[in-house]
Amino acid sequence: MKYLILIYSNPKSRAAWEKLTDEQQMQFGQDHYDLSAKLRASGELVVSEGLAGPETGKGVSIRDGEVVVTDGPYAEAKEYLAGFYLVEADTIEEVIAHAATLPDAHNDGIEIRPIFDMSMLDL
């Protein structure tokens, strides 16, 4: 089964990041690199990416039949998606164990969601 490990950031976690020393920031990145390497070696990693800041994003919606594009995040949104891992694993417990090794887990910034298997739909 495929699972998505979603890593979120928010003002609290950004402030914590800013307080880290250069060495601690490097270790933070190394922890992500190490998990990616471990998952790649075991064949569990499908893809993993960090995302550019939310100010670089676009919102897309349809209003009265027209495409409406907005810049950046909504002002009231405090939390944003910072990165993800798409992994294949036999159980969610395995994915939880992997996610728990990430430094982001200390900032309440990780969510795990199973990928919906579209082949199960009767289309």
Side-chain angles (χ1 to χ4, degrees):
M1 178 148 194
K2 290 182 183 169
Y3 295 90
L4 194 58
I5 300 171
L6 300 163
I7 301 167
Y8 292 96
S9 190
N10 56 53
K12 180 183 170 187
S13 61
R14 285 299 307 166
W17 170 261
E18 297 298 331
K19 291 179 183 175
L20 296 177
T21 65
D22 289 345
E23 183 177 290
Q24 290 170 319
Q25 288 180 356
M26 291 293 291
Q27 184 60 54
F28 190 99
Q30 186 65 48
D31 291 344
H32 278 279
Y33 179 83
D34 292 346
L35 179 59
S36 292
K38 178 181 177 181
L39 293 169
R40 192 175 300 108
S42 70
E44 295 172 276
L45 183 65
V46 177
V47 66
S48 173
E49 297 290 345
L51 301 174
E55 67 280 355
T56 65
K58 300 286 185 191
V60 178
S61 59
I62 306 292
R63 298 290 179 259
D64 298 320
E66 298 291 322
V67 176
V68 177
V69 179
T70 57
D71 290 332
Y74 294 105
E76 64 273 10
K78 300 288 185 225
E79 192 168 77
Y80 60 91
L81 186 62
F84 65 91
Y85 291 79
L86 178 58
V87 299
E88 268 192 76
D90 292 328
T91 68
I92 196 166
E93 288 77 18
E94 293 174 45
V95 182
I96 291 168
H98 292 313
T101 69
L102 293 171
D104 309 84
H106 296 277
N107 294 320
D108 299 322
I110 296 180
E111 175 185 1
I112 298 170
R113 306 239 335 249
I115 299 297
F116 181 73
D117 184 357
M118 298 286 284
S119 69
M120 302 297 282
L121 295 176
D122 188 24
L123 300 176

